[in-house]
Amino acid sequence: MKRLENKISLITGAASGTLGSTLGFGGETAVKFCEEGSTVIISDIDDKKGNRFTKQLNNLGFQTYYQYLNVENEDNWKQVAEWIVKIFGKLDVLVNNAGTANREDVLGTSELDWDRVNNVNAKGYFLGMKTCGQAMKTNRSGSIINVSSIYGIVGSLHSFAYHASKGAVRSMTKASAIQLAKYNIRVNAVYPGYAMTPLNKDLLKDPNAVKIRLNNVPMGGWIPSEQIAWGILYLASEESSWVTGTELVIDGGLTAQ
């Protein structure tokens, strides 16, 4: 039996990259989920990339669908959740992965920067947990995995708004895990370290920025995105059926220092 057989999963922000190229955490997770037997709904705000990636997975024989989803919009969340329940009868797994970033420090962060990052990374996750949690409550079963960051645990010289948003994800994960436990809905978070994804490819243009980051990683080098996906898969599967409110840090040892 595959680890996610008969599961219906929704992954947000999953359209960054294509098969054969650098995939983000959402894309890598979609591949792993498909391989483990889940029906996967890929969502994003980039319809072109989303449909292209979905078609690639369908061509491999996987049950994959695409839905446009602006995670800042509660009505959009409701539309997607209602569509999933109508078509498949249930929702088993939500991976809150859609995200954005800003690398300014506290003095350089504008109000617009703050709102943009926190509306996607914090408000978007809240709306996902609220809407999909309601859908899961009907069947009294579900697993929600929030993609946070080591920047939700420790500070740095940059990315002030991003730190704030990922710190919010950390607290929301713990609170919702307690509040949804009575419905047998588990809520956990993964905390990726420095991984090479489409979101931060631009860092490669700045050797000093790369050096500052990777010099602090005991295991050295960029973390493969699929390592994050393996962690998400574990939290989605029945292997973690008694795991909720936890922090799965995948950072090559950085936060152990």
Side-chain angles (χ1 to χ4, degrees):
M1 181 175 178
K2 294 187 175 182
R3 297 166 73 185
L4 296 183
E5 192 168 10
N6 300 320
K7 300 284 189 183
I8 308 298
S9 305
L10 169 63
I11 307 173
T12 69
S16 58
T18 58
L19 294 179
S21 68
T22 300
L23 290 175
F25 301 145
E28 289 284 4
T29 300
V31 173
K32 293 287 186 292
F33 277 26
C34 285
E35 291 173 343
E36 292 298 331
S38 179
T39 294
V40 175
I41 294 87
I42 290 170
S43 70
D44 208 284
I45 57 172
D46 191 323
D47 289 338
K48 182 177 180 180
K49 288 183 178 179
N51 281 308
R52 182 175 61 194
F53 185 46
T54 300
K55 185 176 181 180
Q56 286 183 316
L57 293 172
N58 287 338
N59 288 341
L60 293 176
F62 297 127
Q63 295 296 311
T64 315
Y65 302 82
Y66 174 73
Q67 287 284 300
Y68 173 88
L69 175 56
N70 176 356
V71 297
E72 302 175 55
N73 186 298
E74 185 169 9
D75 287 339
N76 200 174
W77 269 108
K78 289 179 180 178
Q79 291 166 1
V80 172
E82 289 170 1
W83 177 84
I84 292 172
V85 173
K86 179 181 178 180
I87 299 299
F88 304 103
K90 62 173 183 172
L91 174 63
D92 297 298
V93 180
L94 165 67
V95 180
N96 265 326
N97 169 75
T100 189
N102 179 276
R103 297 197 175 99
E104 294 291 341
D105 65 11
V106 59
L107 299 181
T109 299
S110 69
E111 185 176 0
L112 183 62
D113 294 334
W114 172 275
D115 289 343
R116 180 177 62 84
V117 173
N118 281 277
N119 279 348
V120 174
N121 296 0
K123 178 184 175 182
Y125 281 33
F126 148 60
L127 292 175
M129 289 187 286
K130 176 184 177 181
T131 307
C132 294
Q134 191 67 42
M136 293 173 177
K137 177 183 172 183
T138 303
N139 290 328
R140 301 189 69 82
S141 176
S143 177
I144 298 173
I145 302 100
N146 295 323
V147 180
S148 185
S149 166
I150 56 170
Y151 280 12
I153 301 175
V154 298
S156 76
L157 295 171
H158 51 85
S159 304
F160 180 75
Y162 186 78
H163 275 287
S165 68
K166 292 304 184 178
V169 171
R170 186 185 192 192
S171 293
M172 288 192 296
T173 298
K174 294 177 182 296
S176 56
I178 295 169
Q179 294 164 17
L180 296 177
K182 60 185 175 183
Y183 306 117
N184 197 33
I185 300 170
R186 301 183 295 108
V187 188
N188 294 286
V190 295
Y191 295 77
Y194 297 132
M196 183 46 59
T197 67
L199 185 65
N200 60 24
K201 266 189 170 182
D202 62 303
L203 283 174
L204 296 178
K205 301 175 184 177
D206 186 349
N208 188 55
V210 172
K211 181 179 179 181
I212 289 173
R213 286 164 173 78
L214 299 190
N215 278 357
N216 291 324
V217 180
M219 293 186 72
W222 298 102
I223 301 166
S225 291
E226 70 169 9
Q227 286 291 307
I228 312 304
W230 282 122
I232 294 171
L233 173 61
Y234 163 69
L235 293 171
S237 74
E238 296 304 313
E239 297 161 17
S240 60
S241 59
W242 275 81
V243 179
T244 196
T246 196
E247 301 175 355
L248 179 53
V249 181
I250 308 172
D251 69 351
L254 190 150
T255 57
Q257 302 174 97

